[in-house]
Amino acid sequence: MRVLLSTYGTRGDVEPLVALAVRLRALGVEVRMCTPPDEEFTRRLVGIGVQPVPVGLPVREMMRGRTLPSATDLDRYRNELVETQFGTFPAAFDGCDVVVAAGLGQVAARSAAEAAGIPYVYVSYAAVHLPSPHHAPPPRPGWPDPGAADNRTLWERDARNVDAQFGEALNRHRAALGLPLVHNVRDHILTDRPWLAADTVLGPWPETPGTDVVQTGAWTLADERPLPADLAEFLDAGSPPVYVGFGSMPPREGIGGMVVEAVRARGCRVLVSRGWADLDLVEDGADCLAIGEVNHQRLFGRVAAVVHHGGAGTTLAAARAGTPQVVAPLQLSDNPYWAGQVAALQLGAALDARTTTAESLGRALGTALSPETRARTRALAGRLRTDGAEVAARRLVGAGR
């Protein structure tokens, strides 16, 4: 059996499919994976025995600045990606038995699978990406603001925005392939039975009449890497520090330094993760250390709290470690959703990164560092499962789609 996995995005988009690929390989399945051509993704796939298929522009180059690309640039990137997908996918899908696509940007995947006569599965990493009257659509940068309305109306407007971006290109290529036209691009990509690769406690699917969602649990791997020697020495040298990191996202100008000062004001040491934004907020002093990419599974159990942007992987890693969180999300994708989940489950505090102040950060840290929050996070950690990728792999192999 051969499975084709496909996504386009940052590390948070790629790593869940890496976890699925490892589980599929353990079951004797051959795996190909379409990802951005960034060297770190290619190296990661080759290291687990998966054939990489580069698609689109390097993502890290697009995220290098202090702000997201402009609406005009995003529009151009999206259109170019669709053309690249239709040019690349037919050869990549050849000989495969099933296609698993992650993310709304996989516009061409279902059409290429249809043309090849192979099954197609869509997966989301957060419930907020799937239409439901229980929540509004996630923020989509570069597209018109849908305005204030009830959730059903917002999802209708969201579908029109997706059609406006992708409808003409998708149907032009479908016509060339001899496939029928699509009248709702978003729902065509999602299918009527999407998968949800999120933990059922941390990010459950809200039961929605008429919607059939397969929630497998989050797709992750155990990380056995040791911590770097300088980080281990720093951890051993004093009280548990507060971790500050924004992953692949460019944080609001000045917010990193503001967080560091707020942490210090509470008498805590600080770990600053440079991330893709290449943060370097360390002043001279033994209470602060800047680090690169490290094993969060091993690290988060040794810190007092995790301050981050609301990425699905960071939220889950901190929750599994039983460590309180302060989430200051960008208005982007599922970041506000995970901030809301942290607040709703009382695992820490959520802020709006656009309006965060030193005072609001101080209050949020006070909530996160309280004994009551620590007790709740530790209690919830024991309820989170780690077998989501295994569940998904066995469904694919057993054709239980």
Side-chain angles (χ1 to χ4, degrees), residues 150-200:
D150 64 276
N151 289 340
R152 291 184 187 276
T153 301
L154 290 174
W155 280 109
E156 291 169 2
R157 293 176 183 172
D158 179 72
R160 290 197 292 270
N161 285 340
V162 178
D163 286 341
Q165 175 79 63
F166 298 121
E168 185 279 328
L170 174 62
N171 280 320
R172 172 166 43 84
H173 283 285
R174 286 181 65 84
L177 293 170
L179 299 173
L181 300 185
V182 167
H183 301 291
N184 184 319
V185 176
R186 186 198 64 205
D187 291 357
H188 161 80
I189 296 170
L190 302 186
T191 78
D192 59 2
R193 197 167 192 249
W195 286 18
L196 175 57
D199 187 86
T200 56

Side-chain angles (χ1 to χ4, degrees), residues 220-235:
T220 60
L221 291 173
D223 192 343
E224 303 298 336
R225 292 176 298 161
L227 297 176
D230 61 337
L231 173 55
E233 290 173 5
F234 180 79
L235 293 170

Side-chain angles (χ1 to χ4, degrees), residues 43-124:
R43 187 169 58 247
R44 181 84 166 104
L45 296 182
V46 170
I48 61 171
V50 170
Q51 178 186 349
V53 180
V55 180
L57 297 171
V59 171
R60 188 157 188 163
E61 287 300 316
M62 290 192 292
M63 304 298 292
R64 185 173 293 279
R66 290 290 182 178
T67 60
L68 293 171
S70 68
T72 300
D73 286 341
L74 286 170
D75 182 75
R76 185 178 74 254
Y77 292 149
R78 286 165 174 152
N79 289 335
E80 290 176 354
L81 182 60
V82 173
E83 300 302 318
T84 301
Q85 288 174 355
F86 273 105
T88 305
F89 282 173
F93 290 15
D94 184 47
C96 293
D97 299 290
V98 63
V99 171
V100 179
L104 188 61
Q106 296 297 291
V107 176
R110 185 173 181 181
S111 298
E114 281 183 59
I118 55 180
Y120 163 88
V121 175
Y122 177 85
V123 62
S124 172

Side-chain angles (χ1 to χ4, degrees), residues 257-275:
M258 189 187 300
V259 175
V260 170
E261 290 310 308
V263 172
R264 282 174 159 165
R266 299 200 64 88
C268 296
R269 302 192 303 155
V270 194
L271 277 176
V272 177
S273 175
R274 295 188 182 93

